[in-house]
Amino acid sequence: MRITVTGATGLIGTRLVEELLSRGDQVTVLARNPHAAQEKLGNVEAVSWNPTSEQAPPDALAHRDAVVHLAGEPVSQRWTADAKNQIRESRVAGTSNLIAGLRQADPSPKTLVSGSAVGYYGAHGPEPVDETAAPGEGFLADVCVGWEKSALEATELGIRTVLLRTGVVLSSEGGALAKMLPPFKAGVGGPVAGGEQFVPWIHIDDIVGLILAAIDGDDSWSGPLNATAPVPVTNKQLSKALGRALHRPSIAPVPAFAIKLLYGEMSEIVTTGQNAIPSKAQSLGYGWKNPDLDLALQEMFAS
């Protein structure tokens, strides 16, 4: 297959490209710095694109079986007014610029897998939320709604479109775990803000597995797709599992006010959560590689 990927040098994109190449696919990546992307990713075609300021190049999208759109400004940063604008523009305007390129791609790709996030649902308590749930309130929910609205314009072009509502991706290569590890390794890790909020986690192998399944799937693989593990856990359960994997205590509580002082408005990602259930992936028969949190973490830190 011929696949174009945006955001290919990020945590998910790097692993995805590796898997695509290993199965023999031809990969094109769209990147602000194509030379650096080529150096990092290896045997790919790298094409220049600035998502927020220009239309995606149609020639890099035409004759492709699928496009995977993962580009976006990192959310895990202090939400200044400028940062919030960059987060919004990189996703909403960036996706609109991708669609503009798709409109001119001839022939257009068969499939678009576009990133989104479980932040779409806003803050929730313990009640399960699946792909049928309404959008929530707040900055991230608003961004996700606009992000998905832009991506769904691809359906007007006859492109099967999958909206990948990603949870907290766990990987030994970085991401959320990189921020969690230092206090745990120092023996002062523990639950945050009481620890009762749900963490819709997913192992890096399964987020990539779901993207591949969406690329290869039929028309039933379309619309919103919760990219989370089948059994969400609370922040307290995640803390205990991480402590067990690292052979460190995990009982030092971190109060909500301390997180808010450190991160400001962005702290809502940590202090609230969603019990997001991957109902669609389950109904479509996806088989998780790492459905158990303890086993997943133990494997990551075994070496």
Side-chain angles (χ1 to χ4, degrees), residues 13 31 51 55 93 105 117 122 162 164 169 189 201 213 217 235 248 270 282-283:
Q55 171 186 295
V162 183
L164 198 72
V169 179
W201 70 281
N235 178 272
R248 295 288 191 278
V270 181
Q282 289 173 319
S283 68

Side-chain angles (χ1 to χ4, degrees), residues 190-197 235-236 239 253-256 259 270-271:
V192 175
E196 298 305 317
Q197 67 276 28
N235 178 272
K236 184 180 295 183
S239 297
V254 181
I259 297 297
V270 181
T271 60

